[in-house]
């Protein structure tokens, strides 16, 4: 069973469209994250939720809106997509305070905006 | 604020060569330290970790020792294989049950030639 699963894995869309990426974790963790990885592999945190509450919101355009219906799910909705949004988006989860906060990542969603 | 600096890549080695990837950090308090590995087309996965000074993390022939005096956590492997080709990320995590923050280094790409 996949611990952190996200869909879709690949997404090609036109500028201006709105798209969503879904994420689910079956590890029973209370904290979930969205990370963005650019073409140079640099990893940047976007959002962090703890028990459905937003606790980290880095400098991200408000076109990006996370939603956590329950602590096992954290979806990412992106409005008015721009070319610069092309990247790999990783969902992740962790159990705060356990094992130094080891993070478990999904396999990534490759977003290409054309 | 907290930060992680790791050596720039790419690092290219021949099979069975010795590997060192340097990582240094700055942090207040006592962070946990991690190495994550990202194989092509996949998400990051934990390679090894150390939660306190002088701890040695090890996995799959890789080792790293938490050195508080030099604020370092260098990754080493005595004999690399082609299958070790990947991007390696050093990371630190600090905080408490009220909230943890994980900071990743920029990643170091390793190529191993047969």
């Amino acid at each position: 069973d996949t611990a952190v699963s996200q869909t879709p894995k690949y997404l090609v869309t036109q500028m201006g469209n709105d798209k969503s990426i879904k994420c689910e974790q079956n590890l029973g963790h209370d904290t979930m994250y969205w990370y963005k990885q650019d073409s140079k592999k640099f990893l940047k945190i976007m959002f962090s939720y703890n028990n459905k509450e937003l606790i980290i919101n880095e400098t991200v355009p408000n076109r990006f809106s996370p939603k956590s219906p329950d602590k096992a799910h954290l979806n990412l909705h992106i409005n008015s997509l721009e070319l610069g949004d092309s990247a790999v988006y990783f969902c992740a989860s962790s159990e705060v305070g356990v094992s130094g906060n080891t993070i478990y990542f999904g396999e990534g969603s490759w977003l290409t905006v054309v | 604020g907290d930060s992680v600096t790791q050596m720039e890549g790419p690092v290219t080695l021949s099979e069975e060569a010795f590997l060192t990837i340097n990582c240094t950090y700055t942090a207040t308090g006592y962070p946990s330290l991690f190495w994550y590995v990202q194989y092509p087309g996949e998400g990051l996965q934990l390679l090894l970790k150390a939660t306190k000074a002088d701890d040695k993390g090890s996995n799959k022939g890789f080792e790293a020792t938490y050195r508080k005096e030099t604020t370092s956590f260098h990754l080493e492997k005595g004999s690399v294989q082609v299958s070790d080709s990947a991007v390696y990320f050093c990371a630190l995590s600090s905080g408490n049950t009220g909230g943890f923050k994980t900071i990743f280094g920029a990643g170091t790409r390793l190529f191993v030639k047969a």
Side-chain angles (χ1 to χ4, degrees):
Chain A
D1 276 352
T2 303
V4 181
S5 58
Q6 52 184 111
T7 56
K9 180 156 186 172
Y10 301 102
L11 186 54
V12 180
T13 188
Q14 291 188 326
M15 277 196 309
N17 283 351
D18 302 340
K19 290 295 177 186
S20 292
I21 307 172
K22 295 186 175 181
C23 178
E24 175 182 4
Q25 54 96 3
N26 63 8
L27 296 167
H29 290 165
D30 52 15
T31 303
M32 295 187 71
Y33 312 82
W34 278 108
Y35 284 86
K36 179 180 180 181
Q37 186 175 48
D38 62 23
S39 58
K40 294 184 178 178
K41 299 296 186 183
F42 186 73
L43 200 65
K44 178 183 174 184
I45 189 165
M46 301 173 69
F47 303 103
S48 173
Y49 270 72
N50 182 270
N51 281 319
K52 303 193 299 175
E53 287 193 26
L54 181 66
I55 57 171
I56 293 177
N57 183 357
E58 295 294 318
T59 308
V60 176
N62 58 15
R63 298 181 295 104
F64 291 79
S65 53
K67 279 195 171 49
S68 182
D70 56 59
K71 76 173 196 175
H73 295 83
L74 180 61
N75 304 322
L76 183 65
H77 188 75
I78 315 171
N79 288 329
S80 303
L81 278 156
E82 300 178 356
L83 293 176
D85 297 332
S86 296
V88 185
Y89 293 85
F90 287 102
C91 179
S93 72
S94 70
E95 185 68 24
V96 172
V98 173
S99 298
N101 200 44
T102 299
I103 296 180
Y104 295 80
F105 286 84
E107 293 196 341
S109 294
W110 270 251
L111 172 64
T112 303
V113 182
V114 298
Chain B
D2 296 356
S3 66
V4 174
T5 303
Q6 58 183 108
M7 62 189 286
E8 278 192 40
V11 174
T12 303
L13 296 172
S14 297
E15 211 166 16
E16 299 183 4
F18 185 86
L19 168 71
T20 300
I21 301 178
N22 290 339
C23 172
T24 58
Y25 68 92
T26 58
T28 54
Y30 304 97
S32 295
L33 302 175
F34 304 81
W35 278 100
Y36 288 84
V37 58
Q38 184 179 25
Y39 298 104
E42 298 183 11
L44 283 74
Q45 56 186 274
L46 178 69
L47 179 60
L48 53 85
K49 67 184 178 192
T51 57
K52 61 183 189 298
D54 300 325
D55 270 2
K56 178 187 282 188
S58 61
N59 185 26
K60 300 181 182 179
F62 291 89
E63 291 183 341
T65 301
Y66 190 143
R67 302 279 188 207
K68 194 169 188 298
E69 64 276 13
T70 55
T71 61
S72 64
F73 193 55
H74 304 321
L75 182 68
E76 296 182 337
K77 186 175 185 182
S79 176
V80 293
Q81 305 300 313
V82 172
S83 57
D84 294 327
S85 297
V87 182
Y88 292 82
F89 293 88
C90 186
L92 71 81
S93 181
S94 60
N96 51 45
T97 51
F100 272 79
K101 190 159 188 180
T102 297
I103 296 173
F104 288 86
T108 302
R109 188 184 292 272
L110 170 66
F111 291 105
V112 180
K113 303 180 296 185

